[in-house]
Amino acid sequence: MRVRVTPRGGTAVWLVVLALLQTAAFIALWRFALHVEVGQWIDTVALTGNRIGRDHIEDPVDQILNAMSVVALLAVTVMIGFIALIRGRIALAVAATLLIAGANVTTQLLKYGLDRPDYGIDLERVYVGNSLPSGHTTVAASVAVALVLVLPPKVRSLAAVIGAGYAAAAGVATLSAGWHRPSDAVAAFLVVGVWAALAGLLLLVTQRERAEVAPGDAHRLTALLLGVGGVLAIAGCALALWWLVGVRGTPPADLSRRPLFIGYAGSAAGIAGSMGVVMALLLTAVHRIVPRHQG
């Protein structure tokens, strides 16, 4: 174990950069998915493609989504706060709770505050309006990220992998069930990522000068695997959507099975990859914002 070698200022700058980058990514996604015709078309194709094989995955999808209720969220939030408190981390309990509450409230405000122009592309859902970001995906991702913050370093890597997988599954499940477009899930991950950075800044402010940072708690390998895997999945998504744009003159309802599947599968890969990158970015700093010993 050694005393901190990197000033809090450096970590704070990194967290601010993460918050700004993810905010910028959210704005870019919002503008493209909602206010550009080809963006709306891609989202609609992916959502239309969910009917392929839906009968085979309907039960597990329903189980994942039905487990996310307000009562369940409150119970998990209390449990996460309790984990932090039994570790003697009052500030951590507060930060984790604020992360979950802030991300979910922000998602609801954005969902009802953002407008979605009607370009005559998704006629089936024309009266639904905006659905970005996804509330269910925000619940899953915020809980996963908060758990990574409060759990001890020994189990943090495992929690990050399982949590990222669970949140990604929840995001894909909303697409498979026809509840949300793929951009809704990715936007939810970005909202959670911004709040994770803000929670990290709060923890830095309350951190003692002599807090001890253990090099072995950096989880570099796990962060690398999640990050590289996420980037590769996003690249696969980009290639799929690039191919898909070539047939954008056709209404989504008139497309054949192949482009619908490519749109659906490519979007699912993008959802999973986005969560992997968000979790990897958190792991790069969590050992410094939640040190093993407070000092």
Side-chain angles (χ1 to χ4, degrees):
M1 196 74 62
R2 70 184 184 195
V3 176
R4 159 191 319 281
V5 293
T6 300
R8 276 184 293 185
T11 305
V13 169
W14 172 240
L15 292 173
V16 170
V17 169
L18 287 184
L20 292 176
L21 285 176
Q22 291 177 105
T23 299
F26 178 92
I27 293 172
L29 177 65
W30 160 60
R31 294 295 300 176
F32 178 73
L34 271 64
H35 294 272
V36 178
E37 288 190 38
V38 68
Q40 283 199 13
W41 183 85
I42 289 172
D43 256 356
T44 304
V45 170
L47 192 54
T48 304
N50 73 352
R51 65 193 182 197
I52 300 175
R54 182 163 52 189
D55 294 340
H56 300 289
I57 60 173
E58 187 172 3
D59 288 340
V61 164
D62 288 342
Q63 290 176 6
I64 292 174
L65 296 178
N66 290 335
M68 299 176 199
S69 64
V70 174
V71 174
L73 178 60
L74 290 174
V76 173
T77 303
V78 170
M79 181 194 71
I80 288 173
F82 180 72
I83 292 173
L85 289 176
I86 62 176
R87 296 184 61 203
R89 306 292 183 97
I90 297 176
L92 181 56
V94 173
T97 302
L98 285 177
L99 189 164
I100 295 173
N104 284 278
V105 170
T106 299
T107 283
Q108 295 306 317
L109 291 175
L110 289 170
K111 184 182 297 186
Y112 293 105
L114 299 177
D115 65 305
R116 181 183 178 86
D118 177 22
Y119 296 134
I121 296 172
D122 193 357
L123 299 178
E124 183 180 344
R125 304 170 187 85
V126 66
Y127 297 110
V128 174
N130 176 53
S131 57
L132 181 149
S134 163
H136 281 75
T137 307
T138 302
V139 169
S142 61
V143 167
V145 169
L147 271 174
V148 170
L149 284 178
V150 303
L151 287 174
K154 288 183 179 180
V155 296
R156 193 175 285 155
S157 287
L158 179 61
V161 173
I162 294 176
Y166 171 69
V172 174
T174 63
L175 173 64
S176 300
W179 291 10
H180 281 283
R181 304 170 178 94
S183 61
D184 300 348
V186 176
F189 296 148
L190 293 172
V191 169
V192 172
V194 171
W195 273 97
L198 295 177
L201 287 171
L202 173 62
L203 289 170
L204 282 181
V205 169
T206 61
Q207 194 176 113
R208 299 170 185 172
E209 288 293 337
R210 300 292 293 178
E212 295 179 349
V213 178
D217 293 343
H219 311 291
R220 293 186 181 88
L221 179 58
T222 304
L224 180 64
L225 292 175
L226 285 171
V228 172
V231 169
L232 289 176
I234 292 173
C237 170
L239 288 174
L241 299 185
W242 177 78
W243 179 89
L244 197 62
V245 169
V247 295
R248 65 181 180 275
T250 306
D254 297 335
L255 289 171
S256 63
R257 181 183 179 90
R258 183 184 180 188
L260 288 177
F261 177 77
I262 289 176
Y264 172 72
S267 296
I271 291 172
S274 298
M275 186 60 212
V277 171
V278 168
M279 187 64 82
L281 291 175
L282 171 66
L283 281 180
T284 61
V286 67
H287 68 295
R288 297 193 179 279
I289 60 180
V290 189
R292 184 183 292 264
H293 295 288
Q294 300 181 76

